[in-house]
Amino acid sequence: MIVVPYASQRAAVKFLNDTRSRDHGLGLLRGPSLSGKTSIIRQFTASLPNAHAVAVVDGAGMEVTALLQRSEE
């Protein structure tokens, strides 16, 4: 079980769970520096069964559009 104290963090965990439940789930979690993104991802991935594959891409300094276009190359 994941316990997250803030509504925005609970929403992020719900988003990650919803994304994981899709056949080809791809989610983009973004926010300002020091907002807890890495902590949420670490906590979330630690709760997954070993059969799940997770890739985390650090797009620091990239515009969202540029980051998504790069993933298509």
Side-chain angles (χ1 to χ4, degrees):
M1 181 169 105
I2 298 174
V3 178
V4 184
Y6 300 105
S8 60
Q9 290 173 323
R10 286 193 303 268
V13 170
K14 181 183 181 322
F15 164 75
L16 292 171
N17 269 316
D18 290 347
T19 300
R20 180 179 64 90
S21 68
R22 297 190 177 114
D23 287 340
H24 301 287
L26 173 65
L28 176 62
L29 184 63
R30 60 181 274 206
S33 296
L34 302 174
S35 63
K37 299 177 299 293
T38 301
S39 296
I40 289 169
I41 291 170
R42 285 183 180 154
Q43 194 174 30
F44 176 75
T45 56
S47 72
L48 295 175
N50 289 338
H52 285 78
V54 176
V56 177
V57 177
D58 183 355
M62 294 186 76
E63 293 294 323
V64 174
T65 304
L67 178 63
L68 293 174
Q69 287 172 339
R70 285 231 173 181
S71 69
E72 294 175 353
E73 295 176 355

